[in-house]
């Protein structure tokens, strides 16, 4: 969560923000850069042409995915990999520029202009350069096959259909049918694109002399990583991973292997594991505490110096704009964000200033929460009941907005206890709030998957996570002198 929350103009919009932040749209378009494999290396072209639309999209992506992750070692590794792939592609003259995003999500995409994005979460999951190259070449393939342009055309057509259908107005069955047909057409076309991009991408990786089986290995790793997250539905666009827009199915893994067999046998081609692991040593893993982070039910923001705890039955998500909490079953939700309010304006006056609709002014009350000035009020919508608290903390005002399908003693208690848990962090807590990082270690005699996983910090199901991070199947064991990844704080 960052300072400066968005204004909430209406109660229904609040519900949308609280319980509907599940997807980041179709930004599964990607391209990439590279040198020549024969003769003098071609100088890569990094001068990507910018348009007003691409500049706006670039800023939106940075805002949604935690900004830029600055790591010269990683930038050099990704730049060299992209250069090799582009040199092996059908359009080596295409210009590309890479941005590493400060997000723990496993994702990668590109703009049609050649601006290419990869999250540090994806980099941390890959086990070698050939796996990373499989993602980059897959996204290049979308561009080479003009999928990006076709998808944009489809999106424009869908927007027109949506407007026309909305204007139909009075026939809900006809409206729903038209929209459903549009969505189905786009979805089925997208699946066909994925298979085509897999085949083209494997070929590019193989011609760049990377191990073409990296694609099948990384698709499997992403499937296992997604399974580990099952049941923890994220509400943050930053947390939507590659599989959200690039669904991995057993058929895709089989196709990727079949494509790889056309170019080489298993174990041939370059994996470049040692160089890759050296480049990702010490990379931040998971959430970056500088933007606040969730540990269980508690949210902590060391930079701003506060913490609070959500109710037992809530799952918290730290998004770029707010902290979102949803109760099991979806009958209650909460949003926590920060806004600037003039010191001259009372908190009661702010609650009734119109930023949220349907506030019952007679319910407004002044409070003190752990020494902080506060105020509360009730608001109502068509299907939701709201309890809103605002607290003044330094120069900022923090908003707790609780939504419940039915007003009840439990929902009132959940709201009250959450707000009452808001407090300053102690100096010790601030100093202890370090990011988790990937550490590369060498397997010693006597080490096992279980003993190495026991050295992991701040992660759930450490043994399973260790296997996924290191590309180890269920019964595989580590080998002495191998380099492996562990998560430490």
């Amino acid at each position: 969560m960052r300072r400066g929350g968005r204004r909430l103009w209406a109660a229904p919009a609040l519900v949308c923000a609280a319980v509907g932040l599940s997807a980041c749209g179709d930004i599964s378009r990607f391209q990439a850069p590279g040198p020549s494999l024969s003769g003098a290396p071609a100088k890569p072209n990094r001068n990507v042409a910018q348009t007003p639309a691409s500049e706006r999209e670039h800023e939106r992506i940075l805002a949604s995915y935690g900004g830029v992750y600055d790591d010269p070692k990683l930038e050099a590794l990704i730049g060299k990999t992209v250069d090799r792939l582009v040199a092996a592609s059908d359009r080596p003259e295409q210009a590309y520029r890479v941005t590493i995003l400060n997000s723990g999500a496993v994702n990668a995409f590109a703009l049609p202009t050649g601006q290419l994005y990869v999250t540090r979460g994806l980099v941390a999951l890959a086990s070698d350069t050939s796996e990373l190259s499989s993602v980059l070449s897959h996204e290049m393939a979308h561009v080479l096959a003009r999928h990006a342009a076709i998808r944009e055309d489809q999106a424009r057509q869908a927007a027109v259909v949506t407007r026309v259908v909305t204007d139909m107005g009075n026939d809900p069955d006809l409206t729903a049918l038209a929209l459903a047909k549009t969505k189905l057409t786009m979805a089925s076309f997208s699946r066909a694109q994925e298979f085509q991009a897999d085949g083209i991408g494997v070929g590019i990786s193989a011609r760049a002399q990377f191990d073409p089986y990296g694609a099948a290995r990384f698709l499997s790793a992403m499937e296992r990583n997604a399974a580990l997250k099952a049941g923890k539905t994220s509400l943050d666009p930053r947390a939507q991973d590659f599989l959200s827009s690039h669904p991995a199915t057993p058929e895709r893994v089989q196709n990727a292997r079949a494509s790889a067999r056309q170019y080489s046998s298993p174990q041939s081609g370059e994996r470049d594991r040692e160089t890759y692991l050296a480049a990702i040593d010490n990379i931040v893993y998971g959430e970056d505490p500088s933007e606040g982070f969730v540990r269980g039910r508690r949210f902590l923001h060391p930079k701003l110096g506060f913490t609070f705890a959500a109710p037992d039955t809530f799952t918290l998500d730290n998004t770029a704009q707010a902290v979102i909490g949803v109760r099991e079953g979806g009958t209650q939700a909460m949003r926590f964000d920060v806004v600037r309010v003039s010191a001259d304006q009372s908190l009661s006056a702010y609650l009734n200033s119109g930023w949220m609709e349907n506030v019952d002014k007679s319910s407004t009350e002044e409070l003190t929460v752990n020494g902080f000035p506060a105020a509360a009020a009730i608001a109502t919508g068509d299907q939701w009941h709201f309890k809103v608290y605002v607290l003044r903390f330094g120069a900022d005002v923090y908003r707790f907005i609780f939504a419940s399908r039915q007003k009840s003693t439990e929902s009132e208690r959940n709201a009250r206890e959450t707000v009452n848990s808001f407090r300053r962090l102690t100096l010790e807590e601030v100093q202890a709030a370090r990011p988790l990082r990937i550490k590369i270690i060498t397997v010693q005699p006597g080490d096992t998957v279980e003993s190495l996983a026991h050295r992991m910090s701040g992660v759930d199901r450490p043994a399973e996570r260790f296997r996924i991070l290191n590309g180890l199947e269920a019964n595989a064991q580590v080998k002495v002198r191998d380099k492996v990844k562990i998560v430490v704080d």
Side-chain angles (χ1 to χ4, degrees), residues 27-362:
I27 46 177
S28 55
R29 312 180 297 264
F30 199 102
Q31 309 161 317
S36 170
L37 296 176
S38 60
K43 188 174 181 181
N45 183 0
R46 301 279 170 81
N47 297 317
V48 173
Q50 295 293 344
T51 66
S54 69
E55 288 284 3
R56 286 193 300 272
E57 184 71 357
H58 176 72
E59 292 304 318
R60 189 190 69 78
I61 289 168
L62 293 185
S64 298
Y65 280 82
V68 175
Y69 184 70
D70 186 18
D71 188 321
K73 275 195 310 180
L74 273 183
E75 290 165 12
L77 172 76
I78 293 173
K80 286 179 183 176
T81 304
V82 165
D83 290 346
R84 276 177 63 175
L85 292 170
V86 172
S89 77
D90 292 338
R91 283 170 48 194
E93 75 286 353
Q94 172 69 52
Y96 299 89
R97 188 177 69 198
V98 183
T99 299
I100 305 171
L101 297 170
N102 187 24
S103 168
V106 179
N107 213 341
F109 38 87
L111 302 180
T113 53
Q115 176 65 60
L116 188 152
Y117 304 87
V118 61
T119 61
R120 57 173 169 77
L122 185 146
V123 174
L125 180 61
S127 290
D128 55 47
T129 309
S130 73
E131 292 186 11
L132 176 66
S133 79
S134 75
V135 176
L136 302 179
S137 60
H138 173 98
E139 295 295 353
M140 286 175 58
H142 278 310
V143 176
L144 296 172
R146 294 197 69 251
H147 291 166
I150 293 168
R151 284 181 179 179
E152 285 186 338
D153 288 343
Q154 283 198 320
R156 280 192 291 270
Q157 291 169 18
V160 171
V161 171
T162 302
R163 282 197 300 274
V164 171
V165 166
T166 302
D167 291 341
M168 289 178 187
N170 296 326
D171 190 339
D173 292 334
L174 188 60
T175 300
L177 179 64
L179 288 175
K181 282 184 175 179
T182 303
K183 289 179 179 178
L184 282 171
T185 301
M186 292 187 72
S188 61
F189 188 79
S190 179
R191 283 195 293 272
Q193 288 177 335
E194 294 307 320
F195 280 101
Q196 185 183 10
D198 284 341
I200 296 171
V202 167
I204 293 172
S205 280
R207 289 193 298 275
Q209 299 178 6
F210 286 114
D211 175 15
Y213 287 87
R217 290 198 309 276
F218 195 63
L219 278 170
S220 297
M222 288 191 295
E223 280 188 296
R224 294 171 66 193
N225 188 62
L228 195 64
K229 290 166 55 180
K232 295 183 179 178
T233 303
S234 179
L235 303 166
D236 188 1
R238 296 174 303 175
Q240 300 306 306
D241 61 27
F242 192 76
L243 299 186
S244 300
S245 52
H246 303 68
T249 62
E251 291 79 15
R252 279 193 68 195
V253 176
Q254 291 165 14
N255 275 11
R257 287 200 185 104
S259 295
R261 281 195 291 271
Q262 297 177 29
Y263 296 96
S264 64
S265 60
Q267 309 305 321
S268 69
E270 184 180 330
R271 291 196 181 185
D272 200 22
R273 180 175 168 82
E274 294 265 337
T275 302
Y276 188 81
L277 294 181
I280 70 169
D281 191 19
N282 209 41
I283 187 176
V284 170
Y285 182 81
E287 288 183 284
D288 185 345
S290 68
E291 298 292 345
F293 62 98
V294 173
R295 286 285 185 271
R297 293 188 299 111
R298 182 165 290 280
F299 177 73
L300 305 94
H301 205 308
K303 200 180 203 177
L304 300 180
F306 67 82
T307 182
F308 68 85
D312 284 337
T313 54
F314 274 58
T315 298
L316 282 184
D317 245 322
N318 178 30
T319 79
Q321 287 77 34
V323 180
I324 305 296
V326 178
R327 186 184 187 275
E328 291 174 9
T331 57
Q332 295 178 39
M334 62 166 282
R335 175 184 173 113
F336 171 84
D337 62 15
V338 56
V339 291
R340 286 293 174 94
V341 175
S342 169
D344 298 331
Q345 186 177 31
S346 72
L347 293 177
S348 293
Y350 172 69
L351 278 175
N352 293 293
S353 63
W355 62 271
M356 186 173 181
E357 291 181 354
N358 302 322
V359 173
D360 178 2
K361 294 184 179 182
S362 67

Side-chain angles (χ1 to χ4, degrees), residues 367-375 389-391 418-423:
L367 307 164
T368 300
V369 175
N370 293 328
F372 304 113
Y389 291 85
V390 289
L391 294 83
T418 300
V419 172
N420 286 337
S421 72
F422 182 93
R423 63 171 175 81

